[in-house]
Amino acid sequence: MDQAKVLHQAYEVSAQWFDQVSLSPLGNGHIHHTFLLTSSQHRAHFVLQRVSENVFPNPYLVQRQTRRIIDHLLKNEEFSRRYRVPKLQPCKNDEFHYVAESGFWRVWQYLDNTQVLESLEVPAQITLTARAFADYQRVLTDLPGESLVETIEGFLQLDFYLQHFSLVAENLPRDLRNSVARLRKRDLGFSEFNAYVHADCKVNNLLFNVQATRVAAVIDLDTTMYGHWAWDFGDLVRSIAFSRGRVDLYDYQNAAKGFLQGLQKPVTEQMVQEMAKVPGYIAGMLGLRFLTDHLMGDVYFRVSESGQNLQRAREQFALMQQFDDNQKHMKDIVKGLSENLAKQFY
Ligand SMILES: Nc1ncnc2c1ncn2[C@@H]1O[C@H](COP(=O)(O)OP(=O)(O)OP(=O)(O)O)[C@@H](O)[C@H]1O
Ligand SMILES: [Mg+2]
């Protein structure tokens, strides 16, 4: 969609919150349209966002769940001492969203003196990142009330994407046929759900302080849902490896260290197995989603030219292979860390 048109819509809808505003595009998000809003009346910044209804077919559900999550995080003293929690800003009619002809809009408090890191240069930043997502997961364990339901059907579930893929699979080149065959052979695992997960654990879904020495906030809560605890770890490790162009066991170790610090529970043998298996699972699952989207005509993941999703699928399948080849090393790393942590904590 034309940026200028969305900016025009954003100016129109911002009158539902404030009288005098200026707007500029914010961040590199791929899903929603996000703007930095400056209100002269409040002398403050906010974040105005149009929720993607292409990705989230039920934005009311997303919004309801997001509010429950924010309330819960704010009530947790330990979490809100360590991290800032961005709140939603009510509009003039006291609702926390506004539905216009142009779509579903919401406004967040802007967290100032923060930055988004697009890559992780310093090893300690990897540990802090992993720790923040695991802290988030741990604090949501006792979220009261009925459980959070999926905001995107089948999200991160390999068996769901395999079923979908069967409907569109045809005449694949040999290397891709082999990758999919490997995926089908995996013992699927991760299908017994046991935790509320963030489900989009990328470094750009955290805000760091200005010095980049602390995580200031966990953001982008829209995919938080009931799932498998290890998905978040796997997704983070996969995204770090992707940004490097290869699997790096030192990165893996730093991520595992932070994640275990955040979970704050003894590491069982099953957890060791799962932490070694899950990066390959997530890479394969994502590769399959890219491949399926390519075969369907690029309806979900935006492309600048045809064939890009096919290329992305091949990259993720290559990562899957690298992760799977390193399983033994990854297990040893988690075991070593768990022994150290046990000495520290228990
Ligand atoms: N409360 C906030 N304070 C400051 N900056 C924010 C805040 N919320 C969002 N941002 C900025 O806006 C960007 C996009 O926000 P968000 O991650 O919610 O969008 P998205 O489109 O879902 O992104 P993604 O591509 O990760 O799915 C963030 O990366 C960050 O730069
Ligand atoms: Mg984001």
Side-chain angles (χ1 to χ4, degrees), residues 61-303:
L61 170 74
V62 172
Q63 192 75 348
R64 212 167 39 243
Q65 298 200 152
T66 302
R67 290 188 53 202
R68 279 183 61 204
I69 295 165
I70 294 172
D71 286 348
H72 187 68
L73 296 176
L74 285 169
K75 275 195 210 124
N76 186 295
E77 274 181 33
E78 181 219 322
F79 191 87
S80 47
R81 246 198 327 268
R82 193 174 170 102
Y83 304 107
R84 294 161 74 186
V85 180
K87 291 187 200 141
L88 287 159
Q89 174 77 12
C91 61
K92 287 176 184 170
N93 71 10
D94 288 335
E95 296 271 7
F96 286 89
H97 63 271
Y98 187 82
V99 182
E101 216 168 280
S102 55
F104 190 103
W105 296 81
R106 64 187 175 191
V107 170
W108 296 91
Q109 289 176 343
Y110 177 77
L111 298 185
D112 50 8
N113 299 317
T114 62
Q115 61 172 326
V116 170
L117 304 184
E118 286 301 333
S119 64
L120 292 163
E121 302 304 333
V122 183
Q125 289 169 345
I126 295 184
T127 306
L128 291 170
T129 294
R131 160 112 203 224
F133 284 122
D135 279 337
Y136 178 81
Q137 206 184 90
R138 174 172 46 82
V139 166
L140 288 186
T141 318
D142 57 355
L143 184 84
E146 85 271 27
S147 57
L148 302 176
V149 300
E150 286 174 343
T151 51
I152 302 176
E153 193 190 357
F155 201 55
L156 304 189
Q157 295 167 37
L158 181 55
D159 52 352
F160 175 85
Y161 296 115
L162 279 170
Q163 280 169 33
H164 236 233
F165 176 75
S166 312
L167 304 176
V168 295
E170 55 182 46
N171 303 331
L172 283 177
R174 197 154 77 165
D175 67 315
L176 291 167
R177 270 208 317 271
N178 290 342
S179 299
V180 176
R182 266 212 316 280
L183 266 178
R184 288 198 191 284
K185 265 198 267 157
R186 282 186 99 86
D187 80 84
L188 285 177
F190 309 109
S191 49
E192 264 180 45
F193 295 173
N194 43 26
Y196 291 121
V197 295
H198 181 281
D200 196 7
C201 292
K202 319 280 186 303
V203 63
N204 64 9
N205 283 330
L206 296 179
L207 299 176
F208 271 76
N209 66 347
V210 177
Q211 298 78 14
T213 51
R214 272 193 328 101
V215 175
V218 178
I219 60 168
D220 205 344
L221 316 180
D222 303 329
T223 48
T224 304
M225 58 181 85
Y226 200 51
H228 197 286
W229 73 271
W231 286 346
D232 279 350
F233 175 68
D235 199 14
L236 179 64
V237 168
R238 184 211 60 80
S239 73
I240 295 169
F242 181 72
S243 72
R244 299 256 191 257
R246 67 188 168 82
V247 172
D248 178 321
L249 290 173
Y250 184 51
D251 286 344
Y252 179 86
Q253 176 168 1
N254 286 315
K257 182 172 156 196
F259 212 85
L260 293 176
Q261 283 171 352
L263 287 183
Q264 289 181 17
K265 60 180 183 190
V267 183
T268 62
E269 179 53 33
Q270 185 171 345
M271 287 169 72
V272 174
Q273 303 285 344
E274 288 171 338
M275 284 174 83
K277 258 200 222 165
V278 76
Y281 167 97
I282 296 277
M285 177 277 307
L286 186 57
L288 188 67
R289 288 179 66 198
F290 284 134
L291 180 57
T292 307
D293 200 38
H294 169 76
L295 296 172
M296 287 179 67
D298 305 315
V299 288
Y300 188 94
F301 298 107
R302 226 176 289 160
V303 292

Side-chain angles (χ1 to χ4, degrees), residues 11-25:
Y11 269 107
E12 263 182 4
V13 83
S14 62
Q16 300 300 327
W17 274 269
F18 309 106
D19 289 333
Q20 292 257 304
V21 305
S22 60
L23 294 171
S24 55

